[in-house]
Amino acid sequence: MSMEFEKETLEILSKKVDNGQLSRRRFTQIAAMLIGGAPLALKAKGAWAAANELVFVNWGGDAMTAYDEAYGKAFATEAGVTVKQDGSGPTEGAIAAQVESGKPSWDIVDADPFSAQALGKKGLMEPIDYAIVDKSKFRPGFGWEYAASTYFFSYIIAYDASKFGDKVPTGMADFFDVEKFPGKRSLYKWGAGMWEAALLADGVAPDKLYPLDLKRAHDKIAAFKDNVVSYWGGGAESQSVLLNGEVSMALIWSTRAGLIEKDSGGSIKFIWDQGLISPGAMAVLKGNPGGKENAMKFIASAQDPKKQLVMFEKLGQGPANPAADALVPADQKRLNPVDPENMGKQIALDMAWYETNYGPALDEYTKIIAA
Amino acid sequence: MRSDYLKPALLLGPLMLFLLLAYAIPFLGVVRWSVTLPELGVSNYGRAVTDPLIISVFIRTFRICFFVTVLAVAMAYMIALVWVRGSPTQRLIAELCILIPFWISVLTRAFGWVALLSNRGLINTWLTQLGVIAEPLTMVRNELGVVLGMTHFLIPFAVFPIASAMRSLDERVLLAARGMGASRMRTFWQIFLPMTAPGILGAAIMVFVFSLGFFITPAILGGGRSVMAAELIYLRLFQSPDWGLGAAISVLMMLIVGLLLALLMRYAKPGGMVK
C-alpha cells in the first residue's frame, strides 16, 4: 500500500468518525491494520479524539440504557459525538481518584451537586460554562458553579398498606411512630435525607431545618434503632426489603416508588408528604479527555424537556427543566417529584449544607447505625 | 544440586515479579497516602486507633471472621472426609456439593440467602405454614445472616487443603491402629484427626484471611448494621472521601493479618504438629 492511499483511507474514515458513523475504537483498529503500526493511528487519534467521544458515568443498571436512549443517541446524531455509558458509580472518592490519576477516562458524571461543588473547590472539576448551558432551563436555585441540574428525586415514605388497614401515614412523625404504624423500618445507609427526616419527626419546622442539628437528629435515630431492620445502600435493596415483607415502612427514593407499587400489586404505597427532594446533576471532570466544550454542549443538549421526559418515563426522574412538567401525561403526574402538586408537600435538601458537612455527618451517622 | 535449586526459582520468578508489580507497588502507594493525606504525619493512625467506630468495626470483623472460620472448617472437614474416604456415590455427591457453589458468583449466593431467610422467604414461609412459628424469624440483615452467607461461600476453599492433607495420609498407619485393637472412633480421634491437623490449620488460616476482606456478603446480608472492615474502607475512600484515614485502616488491617499469620506459623508450625 502506498502512503497516499493510507492517508486517503484514514481521512475518509476519520470523517465518518466525525459524523458519528464510526466509533473511535473501530477507527483506531482499522487505522492500525492499515498502517500496520500504532504510531500514526495514535497521532491521528490525538488530533480528533478529544472532539469525538464522551464518557458519561452514571450509577449503572437501568440508568445505562435510559441515559443512552434519552441523551446519548440524540447527541451522536446532533453533534456527531459518541457518548459511551459507564455504570461504575461516580462517588466523590471515585471522581477524585480519576482526576488525581492525572489521566482521567471519564468526561461527565451523574453526581450529587454537593460532591461536584466540593470537588470543584478543590480544583478537580470544570466550572459549568453558562454561556453554553442555559441557566433559565433550571428551576430557580438549582444551578451551581460546578454542577448543572439535570433531574430530581426524593426520599419519601413508602409503606405496606396491607399492614395498616385504613391508616395512612402523613409525614415523618408517623414514620418514627411504631405504635401507630407497627412494624420494622428501613433507612438509607448513606445518611442523606435521613437527618432531615429525624428532625422533622422530632418536631423541627421544615423552614428551620438548616443548618441541621446533627446531634438532635442522631439522638432521634439512635433511640429508634431497634425498629430499623435494614439500612439499604442501593435502590434494589430498598425494593426487596419492602417486597419481602421485612419492613412495613421505608424511606426510599421516589424513583423506585412507582416500581414497588407496581411489583407489589398496589399493596405498597407511597406519599409525598414531607418528602425530601434532592437534585441530581451533571458535572465535568477537570481535564476530561473528551474536551470541556463538548461536555458542556452535551449538558446543554440534555436540557431539552422532551429528552428529560424520557428519563422520567424510564427512571422516574423528575425533570430539571420546568418546561418538561407540562409534557408529563396526566396519569403519570403523581409520580413526578417536581410536579407542582407534589413539590409543594416536600422540602429540598440544602446542597450548600451538604457541601461542607456531608463527610463528617456521614461518619457520625455510620457510627450510630453500625455501632 | 545447583540446577535443582535453580529451577523452582525460575518457575516461580515470573509470579513473584507479577505479585510485586501488581500488589506490592500499589500497596506502597496506599502506605504513602496514609501518612501524607491530608498532611504529612501519622495523625490518620492516631484517629484509626482511637475512633470508637473503627475499633468496633475491627472487633466485629474479627468476631465474625472467627465464627465463620470455625464453622467453615468444621463443615469442610466433614465434607472432605466423605469426599476422600466415602463410597464412589458419596464422593460424587460431596464433589457436587463442593463444586456447584464454587462456580456461582458471590453476589448470586448472597441474594440466594436473602430469598431463603427473609421474612417472606422460603424458611419462614414453611415454618409459618407448618404452624411452628407465628411471627417470622429474623435471620438476615444481621450478623447471623452475614456468618451464614460467608461460611457458605468459604466452605469449598476450606475443603481443598483439608482433603489434600487427608489424601496424603499414610493409610498404613490407620490399618496399624486398627490392627492394634483401636476402635474406629479412637483411630479417628487419636490418629486421623491429629495427622490431618496441618490441613485444618492451613484451611483455617486461608479462610480467616480471606474472610477479613469480605465486602459484598456483609453489605447485602448485614442490612447496613453489620459493617465490616472492607466496607468501612470503602466508606472512607468513596463515600466520605478521606483517603488518608481509609489508607491507614487498610495498612492496619494488613499489619494485623501479617502478625496473625506470623504467629500462627511460629507457634503452630504446619507439619511440625505431626510427631
Side-chain angles (χ1 to χ4, degrees):
Chain A
M1 267 191 282
S2 77
M3 269 315 273
E4 278 313 303
F5 172 71
E6 288 162 10
K7 266 206 247 160
E8 175 76 18
T9 315
L10 284 177
E11 221 176 285
I12 295 168
L13 286 173
S14 83
K15 280 221 181 78
K16 279 199 171 172
V17 178
D18 284 336
N19 300 331
Q21 292 165 279
L22 191 72
S23 77
R24 186 169 95 194
R25 174 184 295 249
R26 188 73 196 122
F27 171 80
T28 318
Q29 285 166 352
I30 297 172
M33 279 189 308
L34 272 175
I35 56 180
L40 186 56
L42 285 175
K43 208 175 148 203
K45 187 177 149 191
W48 49 260
N52 277 284
E53 189 178 280
L54 289 169
V55 176
F56 181 84
V57 189
N58 54 51
W59 299 88
D62 295 340
M64 306 262 291
T65 44
Y67 276 106
D68 191 45
E69 291 273 309
Y71 305 129
K73 280 183 186 154
F75 198 62
T77 332
E78 290 159 21
V81 176
T82 318
V83 184
K84 278 194 190 162
Q85 302 293 326
D86 176 332
S88 16
T91 57
E92 204 171 314
I95 299 171
Q98 275 276 328
V99 182
E100 291 193 351
S101 74
K103 233 179 158 299
S105 58
W106 295 356
D107 292 289
I108 307 159
V109 287
D110 168 13
D112 286 315
F114 62 84
S115 289
Q117 284 293 95
L119 291 166
K121 288 186 179 156
K122 284 187 210 159
L124 302 179
M125 307 305 283
E126 293 286 358
I128 300 296
D129 184 348
Y130 284 109
I132 300 175
V133 177
D134 186 350
K135 218 168 189 167
S136 74
K137 290 179 180 169
F138 295 150
R139 284 166 211 277
F142 290 105
W144 302 269
E145 193 182 354
Y146 297 99
S149 181
T150 34
Y151 66 93
F152 290 86
F153 62 98
S154 264
Y155 296 90
I156 49 132
I157 297 176
Y159 64 100
D160 193 335
S162 68
K163 289 184 176 158
F164 302 146
D166 295 337
K167 274 190 287 186
V168 174
T170 54
M172 293 305 167
D174 287 343
F175 185 86
F176 282 83
D177 187 344
V178 285
E179 292 202 351
K180 211 163 139 198
F181 293 93
K184 298 287 181 190
R185 304 288 196 264
S186 182
L187 294 172
Y188 185 42
K189 197 181 201 169
W190 308 123
M194 303 301 110
W195 297 298
E196 288 86 348
L199 291 172
L200 288 167
D202 211 32
V204 177
D207 56 341
K208 297 274 188 309
L209 274 177
Y210 297 96
L212 294 180
D213 183 347
L214 282 177
K215 167 103 184 35
R216 188 168 168 186
H218 286 140
D219 286 348
K220 180 84 181 170
I221 292 166
F224 190 66
K225 237 177 81 169
D226 288 343
N227 302 301
V228 182
V229 77
S230 99
Y231 296 86
W232 57 272
E237 208 181 337
S238 71
Q239 274 170 281
S240 81
V241 290
L242 278 162
L243 292 171
N244 290 340
E246 288 172 76
V247 300
S248 62
M249 228 190 260
L251 285 173
I252 62 165
W253 290 325
S254 60
T255 46
R256 298 280 173 164
L259 295 174
I260 304 183
E261 193 183 63
K262 213 161 65 186
D263 289 351
S264 69
S267 74
I268 291 165
K269 298 183 180 348
F270 65 95
I271 56 165
W272 291 110
D273 306 74
Q274 295 199 325
L276 296 152
I277 204 155
S278 177
M282 288 187 195
V284 179
L285 273 67
K286 190 97 188 169
N288 68 307
K292 187 181 145 187
E293 201 183 327
N294 269 351
M296 295 301 161
K297 279 187 189 155
F298 175 77
I299 294 178
S301 83
Q303 293 188 294
D304 180 354
K306 280 199 228 78
K307 292 179 185 169
Q308 293 191 357
L309 189 70
V310 178
M311 294 307 286
F312 170 74
E313 280 163 354
K314 296 223 171 259
L315 296 183
Q317 293 184 348
N321 189 340
D325 290 354
L327 302 177
V328 176
D331 63 329
Q332 301 286 303
K333 282 194 195 298
R334 65 182 191 92
L335 298 172
N336 180 8
V338 285
D339 187 79
E341 191 169 322
N342 301 329
M343 194 139 179
K345 296 177 183 167
Q346 304 175 78
I347 301 140
L349 296 190
D350 182 347
M351 290 298 113
W353 184 88
Y354 275 89
E355 188 187 320
T356 43
N357 297 295
Y358 179 62
L362 179 60
D363 283 354
E364 285 301 312
Y365 181 77
T366 311
K367 241 173 244 182
I368 292 186
I369 67 170
Chain B
M1 181 70 203
R2 197 186 133 83
S3 71
D4 283 353
Y5 180 74
L6 199 68
K7 269 181 200 157
L10 272 175
L11 292 173
L12 282 173
L15 177 69
M16 300 300 277
L17 193 71
F18 177 76
L19 285 180
L20 190 73
L21 291 174
Y23 188 76
I25 293 173
F27 187 71
L28 286 177
V30 174
V31 175
R32 189 168 58 91
W33 283 354
S34 75
V35 291
T36 55
L37 294 173
E39 75 239 332
L40 198 66
V42 292
S43 63
N44 286 321
Y45 290 94
R47 279 166 71 200
V49 296
T50 50
D51 187 329
L53 171 67
I54 298 175
I55 295 168
S56 79
V57 168
F58 267 70
I59 293 173
R60 173 186 298 127
T61 305
F62 284 100
R63 183 178 61 229
I64 289 177
C65 293
F66 174 77
F67 285 128
V68 167
T69 306
V70 171
L71 283 173
V73 169
M75 279 190 259
Y77 197 86
M78 295 187 252
I79 298 172
L81 201 57
V82 177
W83 191 25
V84 174
R85 305 186 64 84
S87 71
T89 326
Q90 288 170 333
R91 283 181 200 202
L92 183 72
I93 294 169
E95 219 155 276
L96 290 176
C97 290
I98 299 159
L99 291 177
I100 291 174
F102 196 65
W103 289 326
I104 301 172
S105 99
V106 61
L107 201 62
T108 315
R109 287 161 70 176
F111 281 116
W113 279 103
V114 173
L116 204 61
L117 300 175
S118 72
N119 287 24
R120 283 181 195 163
L122 280 180
I123 294 180
N124 271 319
T125 312
W126 285 341
L127 290 178
T128 321
Q129 281 171 355
L130 289 169
V132 183
I133 49 167
E135 281 296 305
L137 303 170
T138 307
M139 292 177 286
V140 274
R141 320 282 182 200
N142 54 24
E143 280 185 25
L144 176 68
V146 177
V147 170
L148 282 175
M150 285 175 65
T151 305
H152 179 230
F153 186 83
L154 288 163
I155 288 172
F157 294 92
V159 167
F160 298 123
I162 295 174
S164 114
M166 286 178 180
R167 286 214 177 87
S168 58
L169 188 89
D170 190 341
E171 298 262 344
R172 287 171 303 179
V173 183
L174 301 178
L175 287 176
R178 296 283 285 148
M180 307 274 276
S183 68
R184 273 176 171 275
M185 279 311 267
R186 189 169 169 151
T187 315
F188 176 78
W189 285 111
Q190 291 201 324
I191 313 286
F192 191 79
L193 190 65
M195 287 187 76
T196 49
I200 298 178
L201 189 72
I205 294 176
M206 207 169 87
V207 168
F208 189 76
V209 171
F210 199 176
S211 67
L212 286 173
F214 262 54
F215 179 76
I216 293 171
T217 313
I220 292 173
L221 295 169
R225 296 184 304 174
S226 307
V227 174
M228 285 175 66
E231 203 181 355
L232 186 70
I233 293 168
Y234 169 85
L235 177 78
R236 298 301 164 158
L237 293 182
F238 293 102
Q239 288 289 341
S240 60
D242 191 349
W243 291 3
L245 189 57
I249 302 171
S250 313
V251 173
L252 282 179
M253 207 64 196
M254 278 294 293
L255 286 177
I256 295 173
V257 170
L259 201 71
L260 279 176
L261 286 179
L263 276 176
L264 274 171
M265 299 287 186
R266 173 99 177 67
Y267 290 104
K269 282 206 183 115
M273 290 175 80
V274 188
K275 290 202 182 99

